[in-house]
Amino acid sequence: PAHSGGWLQILVALNLLLAFFNMLPIPPLDGGQILTSWLERTHRDWANWLRQYGIFLFILAFPIIGIVLRPIYGMAGAWTTFAVGLVGG
């Protein structure tokens, strides 16, 4: 029981990171699907470009994504520590 808070913190942080990561507006991810369907209405040529070259954008943006998601990992850790403290862990 003493170590369960650490594992819980890791699991919650990982879950939140994956959720935010998946919603990034880059076409291989779900956020990219939302972006291209939104662009489809007004800028069809941009939407087609993103569908065709979005994976390359994803590869180029990958190092930056880690920097952007780092604060979210910290917030998830703080929230989980708080929640485990409330439960009495």
Side-chain angles (χ1 to χ4, degrees):
H3 299 287
S4 63
W7 282 106
L8 181 61
Q9 180 177 353
I10 291 169
L11 291 174
V12 168
L14 181 62
N15 192 18
L16 288 173
L17 280 172
L18 289 173
F20 281 104
F21 180 77
N22 195 33
M23 290 311 295
L24 291 174
I26 301 173
L29 305 173
D30 287 340
Q33 300 302 318
I34 294 169
L35 176 65
T36 53
S37 67
W38 178 74
L39 281 175
E40 211 34 64
R41 296 183 205 148
T42 56
H43 305 306
R44 187 174 301 260
D45 53 336
W46 289 6
N48 290 334
W49 186 89
L50 277 175
R51 281 192 191 100
Q52 187 173 3
Y53 298 108
I55 190 69
F56 300 111
L57 179 64
F58 177 74
I59 291 169
L60 291 174
F62 198 75
I64 298 168
I65 292 169
I67 295 168
V68 170
L69 292 180
R70 191 170 294 143
I72 295 168
Y73 181 76
M75 290 185 319
W79 180 85
T80 308
T81 303
F82 174 73
V84 169
L86 285 178
V87 174

